[in-house]
mmCIF file of all heavy atoms in Angstrom:
data_model
loop_
_atom_site.group_PDB
_atom_site.id
_atom_site.type_symbol
_atom_site.label_atom_id
_atom_site.label_comp_id
_atom_site.label_asym_id
_atom_site.label_seq_id
_atom_site.Cartn_x
_atom_site.Cartn_y
_atom_site.Cartn_z
ATOM 1 N N GLU T 6 -23.978 -1.543 -14.279
ATOM 2 C CA GLU T 6 -23.939 -2.912 -13.736
ATOM 3 C C GLU T 6 -23.535 -2.893 -12.214
ATOM 4 O O GLU T 6 -23.839 -3.817 -11.484
ATOM 5 C CB GLU T 6 -23.033 -3.833 -14.501
ATOM 6 C CG GLU T 6 -21.617 -3.422 -14.608
ATOM 7 C CD GLU T 6 -21.297 -2.627 -15.845
ATOM 8 O OE1 GLU T 6 -22.173 -2.063 -16.484
ATOM 9 O OE2 GLU T 6 -20.128 -2.496 -16.179
ATOM 10 N N ASP T 7 -22.900 -1.807 -11.804
ATOM 11 C CA ASP T 7 -22.560 -1.661 -10.393
ATOM 12 C C ASP T 7 -23.779 -1.447 -9.539
ATOM 13 O O ASP T 7 -23.736 -1.552 -8.331
ATOM 14 C CB ASP T 7 -21.578 -0.509 -10.164
ATOM 15 C CG ASP T 7 -20.217 -0.792 -10.700
ATOM 16 O OD1 ASP T 7 -19.882 -1.985 -10.913
ATOM 17 O OD2 ASP T 7 -19.434 0.140 -10.936
ATOM 18 N N LYS T 8 -24.900 -1.084 -10.145
ATOM 19 C CA LYS T 8 -26.147 -0.764 -9.418
ATOM 20 C C LYS T 8 -27.102 -1.942 -9.412
ATOM 21 O O LYS T 8 -28.192 -1.849 -8.896
ATOM 22 C CB LYS T 8 -26.856 0.448 -10.053
ATOM 23 C CG LYS T 8 -26.079 1.740 -9.932
ATOM 24 C CD LYS T 8 -26.318 2.321 -8.612
ATOM 25 C CE LYS T 8 -25.958 3.803 -8.609
ATOM 26 N NZ LYS T 8 -26.488 4.421 -7.396
ATOM 27 N N SER T 9 -26.734 -3.067 -9.955
ATOM 28 C CA SER T 9 -27.609 -4.238 -10.004
ATOM 29 C C SER T 9 -27.848 -4.775 -8.601
ATOM 30 O O SER T 9 -27.108 -4.490 -7.690
ATOM 31 C CB SER T 9 -27.005 -5.309 -10.900
ATOM 32 O OG SER T 9 -25.918 -5.921 -10.263
ATOM 33 N N GLU T 10 -28.898 -5.595 -8.494
ATOM 34 C CA GLU T 10 -29.235 -6.154 -7.185
ATOM 35 C C GLU T 10 -28.088 -7.100 -6.700
ATOM 36 O O GLU T 10 -27.747 -7.072 -5.521
ATOM 37 C CB GLU T 10 -30.523 -6.938 -7.297
ATOM 38 C CG GLU T 10 -31.220 -7.164 -5.981
ATOM 39 C CD GLU T 10 -31.511 -5.892 -5.188
ATOM 40 O OE1 GLU T 10 -31.875 -4.867 -5.773
ATOM 41 O OE2 GLU T 10 -31.342 -5.955 -3.939
ATOM 42 N N GLN T 11 -27.521 -7.872 -7.609
ATOM 43 C CA GLN T 11 -26.422 -8.753 -7.251
ATOM 44 C C GLN T 11 -25.206 -7.940 -6.802
ATOM 45 O O GLN T 11 -24.541 -8.273 -5.850
ATOM 46 C CB GLN T 11 -26.038 -9.674 -8.389
ATOM 47 C CG GLN T 11 -24.975 -10.674 -8.032
ATOM 48 C CD GLN T 11 -25.367 -11.583 -6.931
ATOM 49 O OE1 GLN T 11 -26.502 -12.150 -6.911
ATOM 50 N NE2 GLN T 11 -24.516 -11.788 -5.926
ATOM 51 N N SER T 12 -24.931 -6.875 -7.524
ATOM 52 C CA SER T 12 -23.818 -6.003 -7.154
ATOM 53 C C SER T 12 -24.065 -5.372 -5.768
ATOM 54 O O SER T 12 -23.106 -5.290 -4.958
ATOM 55 C CB SER T 12 -23.653 -4.905 -8.183
ATOM 56 O OG SER T 12 -22.615 -4.025 -7.815
ATOM 57 N N LYS T 13 -25.268 -5.020 -5.492
ATOM 58 C CA LYS T 13 -25.596 -4.438 -4.176
ATOM 59 C C LYS T 13 -25.332 -5.445 -3.085
ATOM 60 O O LYS T 13 -24.642 -5.151 -2.066
ATOM 61 C CB LYS T 13 -27.089 -4.038 -4.140
ATOM 62 C CG LYS T 13 -27.472 -3.368 -2.809
ATOM 63 C CD LYS T 13 -28.979 -3.171 -2.685
ATOM 64 C CE LYS T 13 -29.477 -2.099 -3.591
ATOM 65 N NZ LYS T 13 -30.920 -1.753 -3.367
ATOM 66 N N LYS T 14 -25.763 -6.687 -3.267
ATOM 67 C CA LYS T 14 -25.538 -7.767 -2.284
ATOM 68 C C LYS T 14 -24.039 -7.972 -2.068
ATOM 69 O O LYS T 14 -23.551 -8.095 -0.940
ATOM 70 C CB LYS T 14 -26.167 -9.052 -2.693
ATOM 71 C CG LYS T 14 -27.672 -9.026 -2.619
ATOM 72 C CD LYS T 14 -28.244 -10.348 -3.102
ATOM 73 C CE LYS T 14 -29.773 -10.306 -3.168
ATOM 74 N NZ LYS T 14 -30.334 -11.501 -3.764
ATOM 75 N N ASP T 15 -23.300 -8.043 -3.205
ATOM 76 C CA ASP T 15 -21.842 -8.258 -3.132
ATOM 77 C C ASP T 15 -21.162 -7.088 -2.405
ATOM 78 O O ASP T 15 -20.252 -7.333 -1.620
ATOM 79 C CB ASP T 15 -21.250 -8.428 -4.525
ATOM 80 C CG ASP T 15 -21.709 -9.714 -5.221
ATOM 81 O OD1 ASP T 15 -22.215 -10.618 -4.496
ATOM 82 O OD2 ASP T 15 -21.608 -9.774 -6.461
ATOM 83 N N HIS T 16 -21.564 -5.878 -2.731
ATOM 84 C CA HIS T 16 -20.954 -4.715 -2.102
ATOM 85 C C HIS T 16 -21.273 -4.659 -0.585
ATOM 86 O O HIS T 16 -20.412 -4.275 0.216
ATOM 87 C CB HIS T 16 -21.385 -3.431 -2.773
ATOM 88 C CG HIS T 16 -20.609 -3.105 -3.967
ATOM 89 N ND1 HIS T 16 -20.943 -3.556 -5.224
ATOM 90 C CD2 HIS T 16 -19.413 -2.416 -4.136
ATOM 91 C CE1 HIS T 16 -20.022 -3.116 -6.126
ATOM 92 N NE2 HIS T 16 -19.105 -2.432 -5.487
ATOM 93 N N ILE T 17 -22.469 -5.036 -0.190
ATOM 94 C CA ILE T 17 -22.823 -5.065 1.235
ATOM 95 C C ILE T 17 -21.977 -6.081 1.940
ATOM 96 O O ILE T 17 -21.439 -5.819 3.046
ATOM 97 C CB ILE T 17 -24.323 -5.322 1.453
ATOM 98 C CG1 ILE T 17 -25.159 -4.116 0.981
ATOM 99 C CG2 ILE T 17 -24.623 -5.668 2.888
ATOM 100 C CD1 ILE T 17 -26.641 -4.322 0.961
ATOM 101 N N ARG T 18 -21.781 -7.257 1.333
ATOM 102 C CA ARG T 18 -20.925 -8.304 1.947
ATOM 103 C C ARG T 18 -19.473 -7.759 2.057
ATOM 104 O O ARG T 18 -18.810 -7.917 3.082
ATOM 105 C CB ARG T 18 -20.970 -9.557 1.054
ATOM 106 C CG ARG T 18 -20.287 -10.703 1.677
ATOM 107 C CD ARG T 18 -20.433 -12.026 0.907
ATOM 108 N NE ARG T 18 -21.738 -12.264 0.350
ATOM 109 C CZ ARG T 18 -22.034 -12.261 -0.974
ATOM 110 N NH1 ARG T 18 -21.078 -12.075 -1.839
ATOM 111 N NH2 ARG T 18 -23.252 -12.533 -1.373
ATOM 112 N N TYR T 19 -18.998 -7.122 1.007
ATOM 113 C CA TYR T 19 -17.623 -6.576 1.012
ATOM 114 C C TYR T 19 -17.525 -5.479 2.066
ATOM 115 O O TYR T 19 -16.506 -5.377 2.814
ATOM 116 C CB TYR T 19 -17.312 -6.020 -0.370
ATOM 117 C CG TYR T 19 -15.950 -5.379 -0.510
ATOM 118 C CD1 TYR T 19 -14.780 -6.091 -0.192
ATOM 119 C CD2 TYR T 19 -15.824 -4.074 -0.889
ATOM 120 C CE1 TYR T 19 -13.533 -5.504 -0.334
ATOM 121 C CE2 TYR T 19 -14.604 -3.473 -1.022
ATOM 122 C CZ TYR T 19 -13.453 -4.190 -0.733
ATOM 123 O OH TYR T 19 -12.236 -3.618 -0.822
ATOM 124 N N TYR T 20 -18.543 -4.624 2.182
ATOM 125 C CA TYR T 20 -18.571 -3.534 3.178
ATOM 126 C C TYR T 20 -18.401 -4.126 4.588
ATOM 127 O O TYR T 20 -17.624 -3.619 5.398
ATOM 128 C CB TYR T 20 -19.891 -2.777 3.017
ATOM 129 C CG TYR T 20 -20.064 -1.615 3.968
ATOM 130 C CD1 TYR T 20 -19.708 -0.331 3.580
ATOM 131 C CD2 TYR T 20 -20.585 -1.786 5.239
ATOM 132 C CE1 TYR T 20 -19.887 0.746 4.388
ATOM 133 C CE2 TYR T 20 -20.753 -0.706 6.069
ATOM 134 C CZ TYR T 20 -20.404 0.564 5.667
ATOM 135 O OH TYR T 20 -20.578 1.616 6.484
ATOM 136 N N LYS T 21 -19.163 -5.161 4.846
ATOM 137 C CA LYS T 21 -19.084 -5.757 6.167
ATOM 138 C C LYS T 21 -17.725 -6.396 6.419
ATOM 139 O O LYS T 21 -17.174 -6.307 7.545
ATOM 140 C CB LYS T 21 -20.175 -6.862 6.308
ATOM 141 C CG LYS T 21 -21.564 -6.231 6.450
ATOM 142 C CD LYS T 21 -22.632 -7.278 6.502
ATOM 143 C CE LYS T 21 -24.020 -6.627 6.565
ATOM 144 N NZ LYS T 21 -25.047 -7.609 6.718
ATOM 145 N N SER T 22 -17.142 -7.023 5.431
ATOM 146 C CA SER T 22 -15.798 -7.599 5.599
ATOM 147 C C SER T 22 -14.769 -6.498 5.810
ATOM 148 O O SER T 22 -13.822 -6.684 6.624
ATOM 149 C CB SER T 22 -15.449 -8.492 4.446
ATOM 150 O OG SER T 22 -15.111 -7.783 3.289
ATOM 151 N N LEU T 23 -14.899 -5.373 5.135
ATOM 152 C CA LEU T 23 -13.988 -4.290 5.347
ATOM 153 C C LEU T 23 -14.106 -3.757 6.754
ATOM 154 O O LEU T 23 -13.072 -3.421 7.381
ATOM 155 C CB LEU T 23 -14.243 -3.133 4.360
ATOM 156 C CG LEU T 23 -13.642 -3.191 2.999
ATOM 157 C CD1 LEU T 23 -14.034 -2.007 2.170
ATOM 158 C CD2 LEU T 23 -12.131 -3.330 3.057
ATOM 159 N N ASN T 24 -15.292 -3.601 7.266
ATOM 160 C CA ASN T 24 -15.496 -3.169 8.643
ATOM 161 C C ASN T 24 -14.756 -4.050 9.625
ATOM 162 O O ASN T 24 -14.135 -3.614 10.574
ATOM 163 C CB ASN T 24 -16.944 -3.090 8.971
ATOM 164 C CG ASN T 24 -17.522 -1.724 8.806
ATOM 165 O OD1 ASN T 24 -16.855 -0.720 8.898
ATOM 166 N ND2 ASN T 24 -18.819 -1.646 8.530
ATOM 167 N N LYS T 25 -14.879 -5.392 9.395
ATOM 168 C CA LYS T 25 -14.197 -6.328 10.288
ATOM 169 C C LYS T 25 -12.671 -6.166 10.195
ATOM 170 O O LYS T 25 -11.975 -6.131 11.193
ATOM 171 C CB LYS T 25 -14.590 -7.747 9.862
ATOM 172 C CG LYS T 25 -14.007 -8.821 10.783
ATOM 173 C CD LYS T 25 -14.526 -10.209 10.320
ATOM 174 C CE LYS T 25 -14.028 -11.279 11.238
ATOM 175 N NZ LYS T 25 -12.821 -11.896 10.816
ATOM 176 N N ILE T 26 -12.162 -6.012 8.990
ATOM 177 C CA ILE T 26 -10.733 -5.836 8.806
ATOM 178 C C ILE T 26 -10.247 -4.557 9.479
ATOM 179 O O ILE T 26 -9.193 -4.537 10.107
ATOM 180 C CB ILE T 26 -10.321 -5.874 7.296
ATOM 181 C CG1 ILE T 26 -10.573 -7.282 6.749
ATOM 182 C CG2 ILE T 26 -8.889 -5.427 7.106
ATOM 183 C CD1 ILE T 26 -10.521 -7.355 5.219
ATOM 184 N N ILE T 27 -11.016 -3.494 9.350
ATOM 185 C CA ILE T 27 -10.647 -2.203 9.937
ATOM 186 C C ILE T 27 -10.602 -2.359 11.468
ATOM 187 O O ILE T 27 -9.679 -1.851 12.077
ATOM 188 C CB ILE T 27 -11.635 -1.101 9.489
ATOM 189 C CG1 ILE T 27 -11.466 -0.736 8.027
ATOM 190 C CG2 ILE T 27 -11.499 0.149 10.398
ATOM 191 C CD1 ILE T 27 -12.554 0.144 7.471
ATOM 192 N N SER T 28 -11.561 -3.015 12.020
ATOM 193 C CA SER T 28 -11.554 -3.245 13.475
ATOM 194 C C SER T 28 -10.316 -4.016 13.908
ATOM 195 O O SER T 28 -9.674 -3.662 14.910
ATOM 196 C CB SER T 28 -12.810 -4.027 13.915
ATOM 197 O OG SER T 28 -13.948 -3.285 13.677
ATOM 198 N N GLU T 29 -9.947 -5.057 13.146
ATOM 199 C CA GLU T 29 -8.789 -5.829 13.476
ATOM 200 C C GLU T 29 -7.496 -4.986 13.340
ATOM 201 O O GLU T 29 -6.570 -5.065 14.206
ATOM 202 C CB GLU T 29 -8.669 -7.018 12.552
ATOM 203 C CG GLU T 29 -9.766 -8.046 12.818
ATOM 204 C CD GLU T 29 -9.882 -9.149 11.753
ATOM 205 O OE1 GLU T 29 -9.116 -9.072 10.733
ATOM 206 O OE2 GLU T 29 -10.673 -10.059 11.920
ATOM 207 N N LEU T 30 -7.442 -4.135 12.314
ATOM 208 C CA LEU T 30 -6.261 -3.277 12.144
ATOM 209 C C LEU T 30 -6.141 -2.243 13.228
ATOM 210 O O LEU T 30 -5.047 -1.954 13.678
ATOM 211 C CB LEU T 30 -6.290 -2.590 10.797
ATOM 212 C CG LEU T 30 -6.030 -3.487 9.558
ATOM 213 C CD1 LEU T 30 -6.193 -2.711 8.270
ATOM 214 C CD2 LEU T 30 -4.623 -4.062 9.610
ATOM 215 N N LYS T 31 -7.272 -1.743 13.686
ATOM 216 C CA LYS T 31 -7.262 -0.791 14.759
ATOM 217 C C LYS T 31 -6.746 -1.425 16.063
ATOM 218 O O LYS T 31 -5.986 -0.790 16.845
ATOM 219 C CB LYS T 31 -8.648 -0.167 15.001
ATOM 220 C CG LYS T 31 -8.998 0.858 13.898
ATOM 221 C CD LYS T 31 -10.361 1.455 14.130
ATOM 222 C CE LYS T 31 -10.632 2.528 13.064
ATOM 223 N NZ LYS T 31 -11.966 3.160 13.264
ATOM 224 N N GLU T 32 -7.117 -2.676 16.273
ATOM 225 C CA GLU T 32 -6.631 -3.382 17.458
ATOM 226 C C GLU T 32 -5.146 -3.637 17.321
ATOM 227 O O GLU T 32 -4.415 -3.486 18.306
ATOM 228 C CB GLU T 32 -7.360 -4.731 17.638
ATOM 229 C CG GLU T 32 -8.744 -4.591 18.271
ATOM 230 C CD GLU T 32 -8.702 -3.959 19.616
ATOM 231 O OE1 GLU T 32 -7.851 -4.350 20.485
ATOM 232 O OE2 GLU T 32 -9.494 -3.004 19.879
ATOM 233 N N GLU T 33 -4.727 -4.034 16.153
ATOM 234 C CA GLU T 33 -3.292 -4.266 15.918
ATOM 235 C C GLU T 33 -2.477 -2.989 16.131
ATOM 236 O O GLU T 33 -1.425 -2.961 16.711
ATOM 237 C CB GLU T 33 -3.108 -4.737 14.490
ATOM 238 C CG GLU T 33 -1.650 -5.087 14.145
ATOM 239 C CD GLU T 33 -1.481 -5.569 12.736
ATOM 240 O OE1 GLU T 33 -2.482 -6.002 12.083
ATOM 241 O OE2 GLU T 33 -0.332 -5.559 12.265
ATOM 242 N N ARG T 34 -3.064 -1.842 15.693
ATOM 243 C CA ARG T 34 -2.368 -0.566 15.837
ATOM 244 C C ARG T 34 -2.178 -0.186 17.293
ATOM 245 O O ARG T 34 -1.133 0.356 17.691
ATOM 246 C CB ARG T 34 -3.161 0.535 15.134
ATOM 247 C CG ARG T 34 -2.333 1.831 15.058
ATOM 248 C CD ARG T 34 -3.195 3.031 14.742
ATOM 249 N NE ARG T 34 -2.427 4.247 14.616
ATOM 250 C CZ ARG T 34 -1.861 4.885 15.630
ATOM 251 N NH1 ARG T 34 -1.953 4.411 16.858
ATOM 252 N NH2 ARG T 34 -1.185 6.005 15.475
ATOM 253 N N LYS T 35 -3.170 -0.499 18.101
ATOM 254 C CA LYS T 35 -3.052 -0.229 19.570
ATOM 255 C C LYS T 35 -1.882 -0.989 20.202
ATOM 256 O O LYS T 35 -1.278 -0.494 21.150
ATOM 257 C CB LYS T 35 -4.336 -0.656 20.310
ATOM 258 C CG LYS T 35 -5.495 0.247 20.040
ATOM 259 C CD LYS T 35 -6.720 -0.253 20.827
ATOM 260 C CE LYS T 35 -7.951 0.492 20.500
ATOM 261 N NZ LYS T 35 -9.149 -0.082 21.180
ATOM 262 N N GLN T 36 -1.553 -2.141 19.646
ATOM 263 C CA GLN T 36 -0.510 -2.983 20.188
ATOM 264 C C GLN T 36 0.865 -2.659 19.661
ATOM 265 O O GLN T 36 1.879 -3.057 20.251
ATOM 266 C CB GLN T 36 -0.853 -4.440 19.962
ATOM 267 C CG GLN T 36 -2.128 -4.893 20.656
ATOM 268 C CD GLN T 36 -2.564 -6.298 20.234
ATOM 269 O OE1 GLN T 36 -1.773 -7.008 19.600
ATOM 270 N NE2 GLN T 36 -3.770 -6.633 20.568
ATOM 271 N N GLU T 37 0.913 -1.918 18.606
ATOM 272 C CA GLU T 37 2.214 -1.582 18.004
ATOM 273 C C GLU T 37 2.784 -0.310 18.638
ATOM 274 O O GLU T 37 2.077 0.646 18.910
ATOM 275 C CB GLU T 37 2.037 -1.311 16.464
ATOM 276 C CG GLU T 37 1.831 -2.535 15.661
ATOM 277 C CD GLU T 37 3.021 -3.498 15.733
ATOM 278 O OE1 GLU T 37 4.148 -3.058 15.919
ATOM 279 O OE2 GLU T 37 2.772 -4.685 15.517
ATOM 280 N N SER T 38 4.118 -0.338 18.850
ATOM 281 C CA SER T 38 4.771 0.844 19.403
ATOM 282 C C SER T 38 5.606 1.602 18.370
ATOM 283 O O SER T 38 5.916 2.779 18.571
ATOM 284 C CB SER T 38 5.606 0.446 20.594
ATOM 285 O OG SER T 38 6.600 -0.488 20.142
ATOM 286 N N GLY T 39 5.904 0.946 17.296
ATOM 287 C CA GLY T 39 6.744 1.575 16.262
ATOM 288 C C GLY T 39 5.957 2.578 15.429
ATOM 289 O O GLY T 39 4.925 2.235 14.887
ATOM 290 N N PRO T 40 6.458 3.794 15.338
ATOM 291 C CA PRO T 40 5.720 4.850 14.569
ATOM 292 C C PRO T 40 5.600 4.523 13.096
ATOM 293 O O PRO T 40 4.601 4.843 12.453
ATOM 294 C CB PRO T 40 6.560 6.123 14.801
ATOM 295 C CG PRO T 40 7.855 5.671 15.323
ATOM 296 C CD PRO T 40 7.666 4.345 15.937
ATOM 297 N N LEU T 41 6.589 3.839 12.498
ATOM 298 C CA LEU T 41 6.522 3.516 11.123
ATOM 299 C C LEU T 41 5.365 2.505 10.828
ATOM 300 O O LEU T 41 4.600 2.688 9.877
ATOM 301 C CB LEU T 41 7.860 2.911 10.634
ATOM 302 C CG LEU T 41 7.955 2.630 9.145
ATOM 303 C CD1 LEU T 41 7.806 3.940 8.334
ATOM 304 C CD2 LEU T 41 9.286 1.980 8.824
ATOM 305 N N ILE T 42 5.261 1.507 11.689
ATOM 306 C CA ILE T 42 4.179 0.498 11.547
ATOM 307 C C ILE T 42 2.851 1.172 11.779
ATOM 308 O O ILE T 42 1.840 0.934 11.086
ATOM 309 C CB ILE T 42 4.434 -0.674 12.481
ATOM 310 C CG1 ILE T 42 5.694 -1.405 12.052
ATOM 311 C CG2 ILE T 42 3.234 -1.620 12.504
ATOM 312 C CD1 ILE T 42 6.135 -2.492 12.981
ATOM 313 N N GLN T 43 2.788 2.055 12.785
ATOM 314 C CA GLN T 43 1.500 2.737 13.099
ATOM 315 C C GLN T 43 1.059 3.571 11.913
ATOM 316 O O GLN T 43 -0.114 3.600 11.549
ATOM 317 C CB GLN T 43 1.660 3.635 14.330
ATOM 318 C CG GLN T 43 1.720 2.847 15.624
ATOM 319 C CD GLN T 43 1.892 3.737 16.852
ATOM 320 O OE1 GLN T 43 2.343 4.851 16.761
ATOM 321 N NE2 GLN T 43 1.504 3.226 17.984
#
Side-chain angles (χ1 to χ4, degrees):
E6 59 266 20
D7 289 341
K8 294 277 199 168
S9 71
E10 200 56 40
Q11 184 60 46
S12 178
K13 183 189 288 187
K14 288 177 186 176
D15 292 342
H16 277 90
I17 290 172
R18 189 175 317 114
Y19 178 59
Y20 181 94
K21 289 178 180 181
S22 72
L23 276 180
N24 264 332
K25 183 177 184 266
I26 293 168
I27 290 169
S28 295
E29 291 168 357
L30 288 174
K31 286 181 177 180
E32 281 302 312
E33 183 180 342
R34 190 195 182 289
K35 287 180 187 176
Q36 297 171 13
E37 286 297 334
S38 58
L41 186 61
I42 295 172
Q43 287 179 337

